[in-house]
Amino acid sequence: MAKNNTQKSESFEKILFRSADKLRKNMDAAEYKHIVLGLIFLKYISDSFEELYEKIKLGEGDFAGANPEDADEYRAENVFFVPQIARWTFLHTRAKQPTIGKDLDNAMEAIEKENPTLKGILPKVYARPNLDKTALGGLIDLVGNIAIGTEAAKSKDLLGRVYEYFLGEFANAEGKKGGQFYTPKSIVRLMVEMVEPHNGRVYDPACGSGGMFIMSEKFVQSHQGRVDDISIYGQESNQTTYRLCRMNLAIRGIDGSQVRWNTEGSFLNDVHKDLKADYILANPPFNDSDWSGQLLVNDPRWQYGTPPAGNANFAWLQHMLYHLSPKGVMACVLANGSLSSQTSGEGEIRKSLIEHDVVDCIVALPKQLFYNTGIPACIWFLSRKRTGNGDRKRTGEILFIDASEVGYMADRTHKEFSEDDMAMIANTYHEWRKEDGKYEDKKGFCKSATLEEIVKHNFVLTPGRYVGIPDEIDDGIPFETKISALTATLKNQMTQEEKLNAEIRKQLGKINIF
């Protein structure tokens, strides 16, 4: 039953996005996403406001005698106060007016003025000349019909899912640029399922639109926890992306006050210098050569070796390790080159990480998972819990998982993990970590390698070197029979080749080439 409901909601979201995309006309997807996502956010906070407004108006419970236009009543309930000119009911009536663009910009400004935590976050792009106001009115009608049903909680959840789905579709439409703000859902889900952020501090130093935080919150809720069980900390250097993130968090009711923006980024201006996080989840830019490493040569974060100025891969790993608590665990997506590179001292840093026993697991990912790159990628799992702390003592071991052939083609160009795929990979890691786990090496898929084996491979961490090639399944056909059939096929193909060559010579002879 649940499966059918999921399929229905996905179908609804796809239909909705197609309808919204038709209204885009000639506008670039990178511009258009802020217009659409801003409207979805506006609808969300307006719905939340209206729900509480009605309770205050009726004087229910603690609201007896309260004024429904008093902003403090809403702040006390952690609900954004929405001024009259910004309420969805008001704006919807003006959707067909030529001034609707200016009305929406005014609405966003009014909301920011009443709610300081949203200052500088909301898009004010609706009055721009290149935005067709008729199409904008159609978009308002479309978004106005998202929250169907009477239960406010259901409508809010649906708006959150629509926002998340639209982020992914816009990332797909933008290609390389889209990948800068969005990590595909199945990768994020896999990382969260493996790291298991039940409670504590969750950190992402390159947080994009906040997917790691959203999925962590979903994980907590699916395990009967409370959103308050985790606190999130993040940093983003792209202001536009940061705004998407803050709206994404707000629409999920997640406190984003510790998610910060500055142009310098986490390396040059670390806004969480003293943070020690229990869980770190990140998908930083691959092979970034413009990270200002030459300015940070003697930085205290480089405890395992100074990363090269021409590649930030090992700078990201060490930055995160620096912020990892004594019992923390982290997952970081990097290009596969990080597993084997020996240039510019990277091999020595990798060796140091291994010898200091912080590398827990390496997962090789399939191609075509990402919107913005075809570079093969992997996930590094680093941990400070390897001596026990509720898990099996596994010092001197690293788990290798080769998932490069796992997944299915979701469309012509992109691959995704199914629920079974994610469960298979995550459960392999969990069973390996458990005291009484049922882990077993599986040829071609997973291998628990010792430090001695890794030394033999010169500290290269490519999973394929360790897991080997899967055994072929015996089809029961005797070898002699197979050879006989193959020989007959080859003989037939050679005969056909001779006939074709004779025919080619004959035809060329007619035009005096032979």
Side-chain angles (χ1 to χ4, degrees):
M1 190 75 178
K3 187 177 179 183
N4 290 337
N5 288 339
T6 300
Q7 289 172 342
K8 195 180 291 182
S9 71
E10 286 176 351
S11 153
F12 167 73
E13 290 153 11
K14 287 178 183 176
I15 292 168
L16 194 67
F17 184 80
R18 267 191 237 110
S19 300
D21 203 42
K22 282 180 185 175
L23 294 168
R24 175 159 67 101
K25 299 186 176 178
N26 295 323
M27 183 171 282
D28 186 74
E31 285 184 276
Y32 190 61
K33 73 170 178 286
H34 300 292
I35 291 161
V36 178
L37 295 173
L39 286 178
I40 294 171
F41 181 77
L42 182 61
K43 180 72 167 67
Y44 163 76
I45 63 169
S46 188
D47 282 1
S48 301
F49 169 85
E50 293 287 356
E51 180 190 2
L52 186 54
Y53 181 91
E54 290 302 317
K55 288 181 181 178
I56 298 172
K57 189 177 177 181
L58 293 171
E60 295 178 359
D62 295 335
F63 299 118
N67 178 7
E69 294 295 341
D70 183 356
D72 288 336
E73 297 289 348
Y74 298 88
R75 294 189 187 110
E77 299 294 320
N78 291 318
V79 172
F80 294 114
F81 179 77
V82 182
Q84 175 67 38
I85 64 167
R87 293 170 194 172
W88 191 264
T89 47
F90 172 77
L91 292 166
H92 206 168
T93 61
R94 301 177 64 82
K96 301 297 187 286
Q97 299 293 323
T99 58
I100 185 58
K102 184 62 177 170
D103 291 337
L104 284 167
D105 283 350
N106 290 340
M108 296 296 186
E109 287 177 7
I111 291 169
E112 286 190 352
K113 188 175 180 180
E114 290 287 350
N115 303 277
T117 58
L118 294 177
K119 186 171 178 60
I121 302 297
L122 305 186
K124 301 156 196 82
V125 292
Y126 298 94
R128 58 174 62 183
N130 67 330
L131 178 56
D132 184 294
K133 299 307 179 284
T134 303
L136 179 57
L139 195 56
I140 292 170
D141 287 339
L142 193 68
V143 173
N145 292 326
I146 291 178
I148 43 182
T150 55
E151 295 180 46
K154 282 185 180 177
S155 69
K156 287 178 196 171
D157 184 54
L158 185 56
L159 282 161
R161 291 208 314 272
V162 168
Y163 189 98
E164 186 180 356
Y165 181 83
F166 275 36
L167 270 174
E169 290 301 301
F170 280 122
N172 192 10
E174 288 185 54
K176 188 171 183 179
K177 289 183 179 178
Q180 294 171 3
F181 68 83
Y182 185 81
T183 303
K185 192 175 177 180
S186 63
I187 301 173
V188 178
R189 171 84 178 276
L190 175 64
M191 293 168 71
V192 169
E193 290 292 333
M194 291 179 74
V195 166
E196 298 181 297
H198 283 290
N199 54 68
R201 298 172 296 274
V202 180
Y203 174 52
D204 183 348
C207 64
S209 54
M212 301 292 181
F213 301 136
I214 302 298
M215 198 62 73
S216 295
E217 176 251 0
K218 287 181 182 177
F219 178 86
V220 170
Q221 290 184 327
S222 68
H223 289 77
Q224 287 73 52
R226 299 174 301 120
V227 178
D228 292 344
D229 290 342
I230 60 172
S231 53
I232 64 167
Y233 298 81
Q235 186 162 348
E236 175 56 45
S237 60
N238 183 302
Q239 189 177 31
T240 304
T241 301
Y242 164 74
R243 288 170 176 164
L244 292 177
C245 177
R246 288 296 302 273
M247 286 194 290
N248 198 11
L249 295 174
I251 212 169
R252 289 287 182 181
I254 301 173
D255 178 13
S257 60
Q258 292 300 321
V259 177
R260 308 286 178 78
W261 162 79
N262 61 44
T263 54
E264 299 97 331
S266 292
F267 291 135
L268 289 178
N269 188 357
D270 184 0
V271 297
H272 299 294
K273 287 185 175 67
D274 299 323
L275 173 69
K276 294 298 179 185
D278 303 291
Y279 310 96
I280 299 178
L281 297 148
N283 174 26
F286 290 178
N287 303 323
D288 187 5
S289 61
D290 189 26
W291 67 283
S292 302
Q294 69 279 5
L295 303 177
L296 299 165
V297 174
N298 297 313
D299 196 282
R301 288 171 289 186
W302 315 148
Q303 296 175 3
Y304 303 91
T306 303
N311 194 315
N313 288 341
F314 284 95
W316 283 116
L317 286 180
Q318 293 189 82
H319 171 83
M320 294 178 214
L321 270 170
Y322 183 81
H323 283 291
L324 198 61
S325 73
K327 295 183 180 180
V329 60
M330 59 171 270
C332 177
V333 184
L334 289 178
N336 271 3
S338 62
L339 301 174
S340 58
S341 171
Q342 302 291 351
T343 60
S344 304
E346 289 185 327
E348 287 302 312
I349 299 174
R350 187 172 55 251
K351 177 183 176 184
S352 182
L353 290 170
I354 295 165
E355 290 180 335
H356 281 84
D357 212 50
V358 293
V359 182
D360 206 36
C361 175
I362 301 290
V363 177
L365 297 172
K367 295 177 182 177
Q368 297 178 277
L369 275 181
F370 295 87
Y371 295 133
N372 62 324
T373 180
I375 297 174
C378 60
I379 310 174
W380 287 66
F381 291 85
L382 306 184
S383 175
R384 297 198 189 277
K385 293 176 65 177
R386 286 164 55 78
T387 55
N389 295 320
D391 291 332
R392 176 178 69 85
K393 184 177 180 180
R394 53 196 188 278
T395 53
E397 299 175 51
I398 296 177
L399 176 64
F400 293 93
I401 299 176
D402 189 348
S404 58
E405 299 301 322
V406 178
Y408 68 96
M409 294 303 294
D411 55 44
R412 287 187 304 106
T413 56
H414 296 116
K415 212 171 194 181
E416 290 182 7
F417 288 133
S418 68
E419 292 285 330
D420 289 343
D421 294 334
M422 288 184 280
M424 176 180 68
I425 298 167
N427 289 343
T428 299
Y429 179 52
H430 296 154
E431 291 299 324
W432 178 75
R433 281 182 5 186
K434 286 180 185 175
E435 282 280 6
D436 56 348
K438 299 174 183 176
Y439 172 81
E440 290 182 2
D441 289 344
K442 183 177 178 182
K443 198 171 182 184
F445 177 65
C446 62
K447 164 76 174 176
S448 181
T450 63
L451 180 58
E452 289 74 23
E453 291 174 277
I454 294 162
V455 170
K456 286 179 184 176
H457 286 283
N458 198 26
F459 296 94
V460 168
L461 298 180
T462 307
R465 290 199 176 201
Y466 300 91
V467 304
I469 300 169
D471 293 326
E472 287 191 23
I473 298 171
D474 187 358
D475 56 12
I477 302 172
F479 176 75
E480 293 78 9
T481 305
K482 287 182 180 178
I483 285 295
S484 177
L486 288 169
T487 304
T489 301
L490 180 60
K491 185 177 180 182
N492 181 54
Q493 288 173 343
M494 290 172 72
T495 302
Q496 289 295 322
E497 182 185 17
E498 288 175 7
K499 288 180 181 179
L500 287 170
N501 285 339
E503 180 62 26
I504 290 168
R505 281 193 294 270
K506 178 181 173 183
Q507 295 301 325
L508 290 175
K510 290 179 180 179
I511 55 174
N512 297 321
I513 291 180
F514 277 129

